[in-house]
Amino acid sequence: MSTPTYLLTIKSLPRRRRSVSVLMILLMLLIGIVLASVGIGAVRISSGQILAILVKQVGIALPQAFEEQQEVVLVTIRLPRVVLGILVGTGLAVSGVAMQALFRNPLADPGLIGVSSGAALAAVSVIVLGTRLFGGLFQLLGFFTLPVMAFVGGLGATLAVYKLSHFEGRIQVTTMLLAGIAINALAGAGIGLLTSIATDVQLRSLTFWNLGSLGGATWATVSVGAPFILAAIIFILRLSQPFNVLLLGEAEAEHLGIPVESLKRQVMILVAMMVGAAVSMTGMIGFVGLIVPHLLRLMIGPDHRYLLPGSVLLGPCLLLGADLIARVLVAPAELPLGVVTAFLGAPFFLWLLLQDRRREKFL
Protein backbone atom coordinates (compact mmCIF):
# COMPACT_ATOMS: atom_id res chain seq x y z
CA MET A 1 0.00 0.00 0.00
CA SER A 2 1.48 3.38 -0.98
CA THR A 3 1.93 6.12 1.64
CA PRO A 4 -0.68 8.91 1.35
CA THR A 5 0.61 12.11 -0.26
CA TYR A 6 -0.15 14.30 2.77
CA LEU A 7 1.96 11.99 5.02
CA LEU A 8 4.88 12.14 2.59
CA THR A 9 4.58 15.93 2.61
CA ILE A 10 4.58 16.07 6.41
CA LYS A 11 7.55 13.68 6.71
CA SER A 12 9.60 15.77 4.31
CA LEU A 13 9.31 18.84 6.56
CA PRO A 14 11.98 19.74 9.17
CA ARG A 15 11.19 18.08 12.54
CA ARG A 16 9.93 21.24 14.30
CA ARG A 17 7.67 22.26 11.41
CA ARG A 18 6.48 18.67 11.06
CA SER A 19 5.61 18.47 14.76
CA VAL A 20 3.70 21.74 14.63
CA SER A 21 1.88 20.58 11.49
CA VAL A 22 0.88 17.31 13.18
CA LEU A 23 -0.38 19.21 16.24
CA MET A 24 -2.50 21.47 14.02
CA ILE A 25 -3.95 18.43 12.20
CA LEU A 26 -4.75 16.79 15.55
CA LEU A 27 -6.48 19.98 16.73
CA MET A 28 -8.69 20.00 13.62
CA LEU A 29 -9.36 16.26 14.07
CA LEU A 30 -10.41 16.85 17.69
CA ILE A 31 -12.81 19.63 16.66
CA GLY A 32 -14.33 17.32 14.04
CA ILE A 33 -14.78 14.43 16.49
CA VAL A 34 -16.30 16.74 19.11
CA LEU A 35 -18.85 18.02 16.56
CA ALA A 36 -19.64 14.44 15.51
CA SER A 37 -20.00 13.30 19.14
CA VAL A 38 -22.48 16.02 20.06
CA GLY A 39 -24.38 15.84 16.77
CA ILE A 40 -24.77 12.09 16.11
CA GLY A 41 -27.24 9.97 18.07
CA ALA A 42 -30.92 9.15 18.40
CA VAL A 43 -31.60 12.91 18.19
CA ARG A 44 -29.68 14.45 15.29
CA ILE A 45 -28.31 17.95 15.78
CA SER A 46 -26.62 19.81 12.90
CA SER A 47 -23.50 21.97 13.32
CA GLY A 48 -25.57 25.14 12.83
CA GLN A 49 -28.05 24.04 15.50
CA ILE A 50 -25.18 23.18 17.89
CA LEU A 51 -23.79 26.70 17.46
CA ALA A 52 -27.23 28.29 17.89
CA ILE A 53 -27.92 26.30 21.09
CA LEU A 54 -24.52 27.13 22.58
CA VAL A 55 -24.72 30.86 21.98
CA LYS A 56 -28.28 30.87 23.33
CA GLN A 57 -26.82 29.83 26.71
CA VAL A 58 -25.07 33.24 26.87
CA GLY A 59 -28.13 35.18 25.70
CA ILE A 60 -27.39 35.48 21.94
CA ALA A 61 -30.05 34.41 19.40
CA LEU A 62 -29.04 33.18 15.92
CA PRO A 63 -31.41 32.76 12.92
CA GLN A 64 -31.14 28.95 13.15
CA ALA A 65 -34.19 26.94 14.21
CA PHE A 66 -33.89 24.05 16.67
CA GLU A 67 -36.27 22.06 18.85
CA GLU A 68 -36.41 22.22 22.64
CA GLN A 69 -35.64 18.50 22.79
CA GLN A 70 -32.40 19.07 20.86
CA GLU A 71 -31.35 21.76 23.33
CA VAL A 72 -32.04 19.51 26.35
CA VAL A 73 -30.17 16.57 24.79
CA LEU A 74 -27.17 18.72 23.85
CA VAL A 75 -26.80 20.67 27.10
CA THR A 76 -27.65 18.01 29.69
CA ILE A 77 -26.51 14.75 28.05
CA ARG A 78 -24.03 15.09 25.20
CA LEU A 79 -21.94 18.09 26.27
CA PRO A 80 -21.06 16.70 29.73
CA ARG A 81 -20.31 13.36 28.07
CA VAL A 82 -17.94 14.98 25.57
CA VAL A 83 -16.26 17.14 28.22
CA LEU A 84 -15.78 14.05 30.39
CA GLY A 85 -14.33 12.18 27.39
CA ILE A 86 -11.88 15.02 26.73
CA LEU A 87 -10.78 15.10 30.39
CA VAL A 88 -10.37 11.33 30.75
CA GLY A 89 -8.78 10.85 27.31
CA THR A 90 -6.28 13.62 28.03
CA GLY A 91 -5.54 12.33 31.53
CA LEU A 92 -4.93 8.74 30.38
CA ALA A 93 -2.81 9.78 27.38
CA VAL A 94 -0.65 12.20 29.39
CA SER A 95 -0.29 9.51 32.09
CA GLY A 96 0.98 7.08 29.43
CA VAL A 97 3.60 9.55 28.18
CA ALA A 98 4.71 10.32 31.76
CA MET A 99 4.90 6.65 32.81
CA GLN A 100 6.90 5.70 29.72
CA ALA A 101 9.29 8.58 30.36
CA LEU A 102 9.65 7.62 34.03
CA PHE A 103 10.20 3.89 33.40
CA ARG A 104 12.06 4.61 30.13
CA ASN A 105 10.07 1.83 28.57
CA PRO A 106 7.43 2.03 25.80
CA LEU A 107 5.34 -0.76 27.36
CA ALA A 108 4.57 1.17 30.56
CA ASP A 109 0.86 1.99 30.70
CA PRO A 110 -1.32 2.82 33.72
CA GLY A 111 -3.61 -0.11 32.88
CA LEU A 112 -0.93 -2.71 32.19
CA ILE A 113 1.06 -2.09 35.38
CA GLY A 114 -1.96 -2.09 37.68
CA VAL A 115 -2.54 1.61 38.38
CA SER A 116 -6.07 1.58 36.96
CA SER A 117 -6.89 -1.67 38.80
CA GLY A 118 -5.64 -0.26 42.11
CA ALA A 119 -7.76 2.84 41.62
CA ALA A 120 -10.79 0.74 40.63
CA LEU A 121 -10.43 -1.52 43.70
CA ALA A 122 -10.40 1.51 45.99
CA ALA A 123 -13.41 3.03 44.18
CA VAL A 124 -15.37 -0.24 44.32
CA SER A 125 -14.55 -0.54 48.05
CA VAL A 126 -16.12 2.88 48.62
CA ILE A 127 -19.22 1.91 46.60
CA VAL A 128 -19.80 -1.43 48.34
CA LEU A 129 -18.63 -0.75 51.88
CA GLY A 130 -19.79 2.89 51.82
CA THR A 131 -20.49 4.49 55.16
CA ARG A 132 -19.85 1.24 57.07
CA LEU A 133 -16.11 1.64 56.55
CA PHE A 134 -15.67 5.14 55.13
CA GLY A 135 -18.29 7.07 57.13
CA GLY A 136 -15.71 9.47 58.56
CA LEU A 137 -14.23 10.14 55.11
CA PHE A 138 -17.68 10.85 53.66
CA GLN A 139 -18.28 13.43 56.40
CA LEU A 140 -14.87 14.99 55.77
CA LEU A 141 -14.64 14.89 51.94
CA GLY A 142 -18.25 14.59 50.76
CA PHE A 143 -18.41 14.16 46.92
CA PHE A 144 -14.62 14.04 46.76
CA THR A 145 -14.42 10.77 48.74
CA LEU A 146 -14.55 8.56 45.62
CA PRO A 147 -11.84 10.33 43.54
CA VAL A 148 -9.60 10.75 46.60
CA MET A 149 -9.83 7.03 47.45
CA ALA A 150 -9.25 6.11 43.78
CA PHE A 151 -6.17 8.33 43.86
CA VAL A 152 -4.91 6.53 46.98
CA GLY A 153 -5.48 3.14 45.32
CA GLY A 154 -3.70 4.20 42.11
CA LEU A 155 -0.78 5.67 44.07
CA GLY A 156 -0.40 2.48 46.13
CA ALA A 157 -0.28 0.34 42.95
CA THR A 158 2.26 2.71 41.33
CA LEU A 159 4.55 2.62 44.36
CA ALA A 160 4.31 -1.17 44.59
CA VAL A 161 5.26 -1.64 40.91
CA TYR A 162 8.08 0.85 41.17
CA LYS A 163 9.56 -0.72 44.32
CA LEU A 164 9.30 -4.25 42.93
CA SER A 165 10.83 -3.45 39.53
CA HIS A 166 13.58 -1.09 40.76
CA PHE A 167 16.84 -3.02 41.32
CA GLU A 168 20.39 -1.65 41.53
CA GLY A 169 19.31 1.70 40.15
CA ARG A 170 17.49 0.30 37.10
CA ILE A 171 13.91 -0.54 36.23
CA GLN A 172 13.62 -4.18 35.18
CA VAL A 173 11.00 -4.34 32.47
CA THR A 174 10.10 -7.99 32.92
CA THR A 175 9.63 -7.51 36.67
CA MET A 176 7.57 -4.39 36.01
CA LEU A 177 5.15 -6.22 33.71
CA LEU A 178 4.94 -9.26 36.02
CA ALA A 179 4.30 -6.99 39.01
CA GLY A 180 1.57 -5.30 36.98
CA ILE A 181 0.00 -8.67 36.20
CA ALA A 182 0.11 -9.61 39.90
CA ILE A 183 -1.46 -6.32 41.00
CA ASN A 184 -4.14 -6.57 38.31
CA ALA A 185 -4.93 -10.11 39.49
CA LEU A 186 -4.98 -9.06 43.15
CA ALA A 187 -7.22 -6.08 42.43
CA GLY A 188 -9.48 -8.29 40.28
CA ALA A 189 -9.79 -10.76 43.15
CA GLY A 190 -10.64 -7.94 45.56
CA ILE A 191 -13.27 -6.56 43.17
CA GLY A 192 -14.69 -10.09 42.78
CA LEU A 193 -14.92 -10.47 46.55
CA LEU A 194 -16.69 -7.13 46.92
CA THR A 195 -19.00 -8.03 44.01
CA SER A 196 -20.07 -11.19 45.84
CA ILE A 197 -21.30 -9.19 48.85
CA ALA A 198 -22.78 -6.27 46.87
CA THR A 199 -26.49 -5.53 46.69
CA ASP A 200 -28.42 -5.59 43.38
CA VAL A 201 -28.21 -1.81 43.09
CA GLN A 202 -24.47 -1.86 43.76
CA LEU A 203 -23.98 -4.67 41.20
CA ARG A 204 -25.30 -2.47 38.40
CA SER A 205 -22.84 0.23 39.42
CA LEU A 206 -19.97 -2.28 39.61
CA THR A 207 -20.59 -3.44 36.04
CA PHE A 208 -20.10 0.17 34.97
CA TRP A 209 -16.74 0.27 36.79
CA ASN A 210 -15.45 -2.99 35.36
CA LEU A 211 -16.21 -2.23 31.70
CA GLY A 212 -15.82 1.54 31.55
CA SER A 213 -18.31 4.03 30.12
CA LEU A 214 -18.94 7.75 29.63
CA GLY A 215 -22.67 7.08 30.04
CA GLY A 216 -22.79 8.33 33.64
CA ALA A 217 -21.52 11.79 32.70
CA THR A 218 -23.23 14.76 34.34
CA TRP A 219 -22.00 18.28 34.99
CA ALA A 220 -21.72 17.36 38.70
CA THR A 221 -19.51 14.34 37.86
CA VAL A 222 -17.29 16.45 35.65
CA SER A 223 -16.93 19.19 38.25
CA VAL A 224 -15.78 16.70 40.91
CA GLY A 225 -13.08 15.00 38.82
CA ALA A 226 -11.91 17.90 36.62
CA PRO A 227 -9.78 19.73 39.25
CA PHE A 228 -7.67 16.60 39.90
CA ILE A 229 -7.01 15.88 36.21
CA LEU A 230 -6.48 19.48 35.11
CA ALA A 231 -4.07 20.26 37.95
CA ALA A 232 -2.00 17.14 37.22
CA ILE A 233 -1.92 17.84 33.44
CA ILE A 234 -0.70 21.41 33.99
CA PHE A 235 2.15 20.21 36.25
CA ILE A 236 3.18 17.39 33.89
CA LEU A 237 3.20 19.66 30.82
CA ARG A 238 5.94 21.63 32.60
CA LEU A 239 8.15 18.51 32.85
CA SER A 240 8.89 18.08 29.12
CA GLN A 241 12.54 19.16 29.43
CA PRO A 242 13.32 16.91 32.47
CA PHE A 243 11.67 14.00 30.60
CA ASN A 244 13.93 14.63 27.58
CA VAL A 245 17.02 14.62 29.79
CA LEU A 246 15.84 11.46 31.58
CA LEU A 247 15.92 9.64 28.21
CA LEU A 248 19.74 9.76 28.49
CA GLY A 249 19.64 7.69 31.71
CA GLU A 250 19.23 8.45 35.40
CA ALA A 251 22.95 8.92 36.12
CA GLU A 252 23.38 11.28 33.16
CA ALA A 253 20.26 13.23 34.20
CA GLU A 254 21.65 13.60 37.75
CA HIS A 255 24.92 14.96 36.32
CA LEU A 256 22.95 17.47 34.25
CA GLY A 257 21.18 18.78 37.36
CA ILE A 258 17.86 16.92 37.21
CA PRO A 259 16.68 15.85 40.71
CA VAL A 260 15.71 12.37 39.50
CA GLU A 261 14.29 10.94 42.72
CA SER A 262 12.19 14.05 43.34
CA LEU A 263 11.00 13.92 39.71
CA LYS A 264 9.95 10.27 40.11
CA ARG A 265 7.91 11.04 43.24
CA GLN A 266 6.18 13.97 41.52
CA VAL A 267 5.32 11.93 38.43
CA MET A 268 3.96 8.97 40.43
CA ILE A 269 1.74 11.24 42.53
CA LEU A 270 0.48 13.17 39.48
CA VAL A 271 -0.22 10.00 37.46
CA ALA A 272 -2.05 8.42 40.39
CA MET A 273 -4.11 11.62 40.72
CA MET A 274 -5.08 11.63 37.02
CA VAL A 275 -5.79 7.92 36.70
CA GLY A 276 -7.61 7.80 40.05
CA ALA A 277 -9.89 10.68 39.09
CA ALA A 278 -10.48 9.19 35.62
CA VAL A 279 -11.34 5.75 37.02
CA SER A 280 -13.63 7.27 39.67
CA MET A 281 -15.67 8.97 36.88
CA THR A 282 -15.67 6.38 34.08
CA GLY A 283 -14.47 3.03 35.43
CA MET A 284 -11.53 1.16 33.89
CA ILE A 285 -10.70 2.15 30.29
CA GLY A 286 -7.50 0.52 29.10
CA PHE A 287 -4.86 1.00 26.40
CA VAL A 288 -5.34 4.76 25.78
CA GLY A 289 -2.07 5.47 27.60
CA LEU A 290 -0.31 2.83 25.52
CA ILE A 291 -1.60 3.64 22.03
CA VAL A 292 -1.40 7.44 22.08
CA PRO A 293 2.33 7.87 22.93
CA HIS A 294 3.34 5.32 20.28
CA LEU A 295 1.26 6.87 17.51
CA LEU A 296 2.71 10.28 18.39
CA ARG A 297 6.30 8.99 18.39
CA LEU A 298 5.72 7.56 14.91
CA MET A 299 4.48 10.96 13.73
CA ILE A 300 6.67 13.49 15.57
CA GLY A 301 9.50 11.62 17.29
CA PRO A 302 10.48 11.30 20.97
CA ASP A 303 10.74 15.01 21.93
CA HIS A 304 8.46 15.53 24.94
CA ARG A 305 8.00 19.22 24.09
CA TYR A 306 5.69 17.95 21.32
CA LEU A 307 4.72 14.55 22.72
CA LEU A 308 2.93 16.02 25.73
CA PRO A 309 0.85 18.63 23.81
CA GLY A 310 0.18 15.96 21.18
CA SER A 311 -1.17 13.59 23.84
CA VAL A 312 -3.50 16.38 25.04
CA LEU A 313 -5.02 16.39 21.54
CA LEU A 314 -4.79 12.75 20.42
CA GLY A 315 -5.97 11.22 23.74
CA PRO A 316 -9.44 12.85 23.54
CA CYS A 317 -9.62 12.03 19.80
CA LEU A 318 -9.08 8.34 20.54
CA LEU A 319 -11.46 8.17 23.50
CA LEU A 320 -14.26 10.17 21.87
CA GLY A 321 -13.84 8.16 18.64
CA ALA A 322 -14.13 4.90 20.60
CA ASP A 323 -17.16 6.28 22.46
CA LEU A 324 -18.80 7.21 19.14
CA ILE A 325 -18.24 3.63 17.89
CA ALA A 326 -19.66 2.27 21.18
CA ARG A 327 -22.81 4.39 20.77
CA VAL A 328 -23.58 3.83 17.06
CA LEU A 329 -22.31 0.28 16.36
CA VAL A 330 -25.19 -1.55 18.09
CA ALA A 331 -27.68 1.37 18.41
CA PRO A 332 -30.05 1.80 20.17
CA ALA A 333 -28.02 -0.28 22.66
CA GLU A 334 -24.52 0.82 23.71
CA LEU A 335 -21.28 -1.14 23.93
CA PRO A 336 -19.12 -0.68 27.04
CA LEU A 337 -16.33 1.77 26.16
CA GLY A 338 -13.66 -0.43 27.78
CA VAL A 339 -14.57 -3.23 25.37
CA VAL A 340 -13.98 -0.99 22.32
CA THR A 341 -10.62 0.31 23.58
CA ALA A 342 -9.57 -3.27 24.41
CA PHE A 343 -10.39 -4.40 20.84
CA LEU A 344 -8.24 -1.54 19.55
CA GLY A 345 -5.48 -1.76 22.14
CA ALA A 346 -4.85 -5.50 22.56
CA PRO A 347 -3.75 -6.09 18.92
CA PHE A 348 -1.66 -2.93 19.14
CA PHE A 349 0.05 -4.24 22.30
CA LEU A 350 0.82 -7.57 20.59
CA TRP A 351 2.28 -5.69 17.63
CA LEU A 352 4.52 -3.73 20.02
CA LEU A 353 5.73 -6.95 21.64
CA LEU A 354 6.62 -8.38 18.21
CA GLN A 355 8.46 -5.19 17.28
CA ASP A 356 10.37 -5.34 20.58
CA ARG A 357 11.33 -8.97 19.97
CA ARG A 358 12.57 -8.18 16.46
CA ARG A 359 14.71 -5.34 17.80
CA GLU A 360 16.27 -7.67 20.42
CA LYS A 361 16.96 -10.25 17.69
CA PHE A 362 19.10 -7.82 15.71
CA LEU A 363 21.01 -6.45 18.74
Side-chain angles (χ1 to χ4, degrees):
M1 183 183 294
S2 61
T3 306
T5 307
Y6 69 92
L7 283 181
L8 289 174
T9 305
I10 288 174
K11 285 183 177 178
S12 66
L13 294 173
R15 172 153 291 186
R16 187 174 180 280
R17 284 184 60 194
R18 187 173 69 194
S19 301
V20 173
S21 299
V22 169
L23 293 181
M24 294 303 295
I25 291 171
L26 290 177
L27 177 61
M28 290 187 283
L29 178 64
L30 177 59
I31 293 171
I33 291 180
V34 166
L35 288 175
S37 295
V38 296
I40 296 175
V43 177
R44 293 269 177 176
I45 310 174
S46 68
S47 299
Q49 289 171 323
I50 292 169
L51 181 62
I53 294 171
L54 290 180
V55 298
K56 182 191 172 188
Q57 310 307 310
V58 293
I60 301 174
L62 293 182
Q64 172 68 54
F66 56 86
E67 298 174 5
E68 186 179 348
Q69 183 192 26
Q70 291 174 314
E71 181 178 0
V72 173
V73 168
L74 179 65
V75 175
T76 63
I77 298 176
R78 292 187 188 165
L79 275 181
R81 185 173 185 134
V82 167
V83 173
L84 183 60
I86 291 173
L87 280 173
V88 173
T90 304
L92 294 177
V94 171
S95 297
V97 174
M99 294 292 283
Q100 291 174 15
L102 180 67
F103 284 98
R104 299 198 306 284
N105 188 280
L107 298 179
D109 168 77
L112 292 176
I113 62 175
V115 183
S116 300
S117 298
L121 176 60
V124 169
S125 301
V126 172
I127 293 170
V128 176
L129 301 176
T131 54
R132 282 179 290 174
L133 193 62
F134 302 102
L137 272 179
F138 274 110
Q139 289 183 349
L140 180 65
L141 300 174
F143 287 117
F144 291 97
T145 304
L146 199 57
V148 167
M149 285 304 296
F151 158 68
V152 172
L155 181 61
T158 309
L159 289 173
V161 169
Y162 181 77
K163 290 291 183 185
L164 289 169
S165 59
H166 194 265
F167 182 70
E168 294 183 346
R170 297 185 62 187
I171 299 293
Q172 296 182 319
V173 178
T174 306
T175 309
M176 179 188 74
L177 292 176
L178 290 175
I181 291 171
I183 288 178
N184 277 325
L186 189 62
I191 292 173
L193 176 65
L194 291 167
T195 302
S196 67
I197 62 172
T199 64
D200 289 343
V201 176
Q202 290 170 340
L203 279 176
R204 283 195 288 275
S205 180
L206 293 185
T207 302
F208 160 79
W209 292 101
N210 286 329
L211 298 177
S213 172
L214 297 179
T218 63
W219 288 119
T221 309
V222 172
S223 65
V224 170
F228 293 90
I229 295 179
L230 291 176
I233 289 171
I234 290 169
F235 273 101
I236 283 189
L237 286 177
R238 300 169 59 194
L239 298 176
S240 60
Q241 201 61 38
F243 283 162
N244 281 343
V245 179
L246 198 59
L247 290 175
L248 301 172
E250 292 186 10
E252 289 78 2
E254 289 276 9
H255 286 305
L256 291 171
I258 302 296
V260 174
E261 292 304 319
S262 172
L263 177 65
K264 290 176 184 174
R265 285 193 293 272
Q266 288 179 41
V267 171
M268 284 191 286
I269 291 172
L270 293 170
V271 166
M273 188 187 299
M274 280 190 289
V275 175
V279 170
S280 71
M281 292 188 292
T282 63
M284 287 196 294
I285 299 173
F287 293 107
V288 176
L290 181 72
I291 297 173
V292 170
H294 282 282
L295 291 179
L296 287 171
R297 284 195 194 92
L298 289 174
M299 291 187 284
I300 60 179
D303 191 338
H304 288 87
R305 290 175 303 169
Y306 302 108
L307 268 182
L308 286 169
S311 65
V312 171
L313 298 170
L314 185 56
C317 287
L318 180 63
L319 197 68
L320 289 177
D323 183 55
L324 199 56
I325 292 173
R327 284 198 290 128
V328 302
L329 196 62
V330 292
E334 182 176 321
L335 285 172
L337 181 54
V339 172
V340 179
T341 58
F343 270 121
L344 296 173
F348 191 80
F349 181 61
L350 293 175
W351 176 76
L352 285 177
L353 286 177
L354 289 174
Q355 293 292 104
D356 195 52
R357 195 172 67 177
R358 285 175 186 163
R359 271 196 299 272
E360 289 179 356
K361 183 179 177 181
F362 288 105
L363 287 178

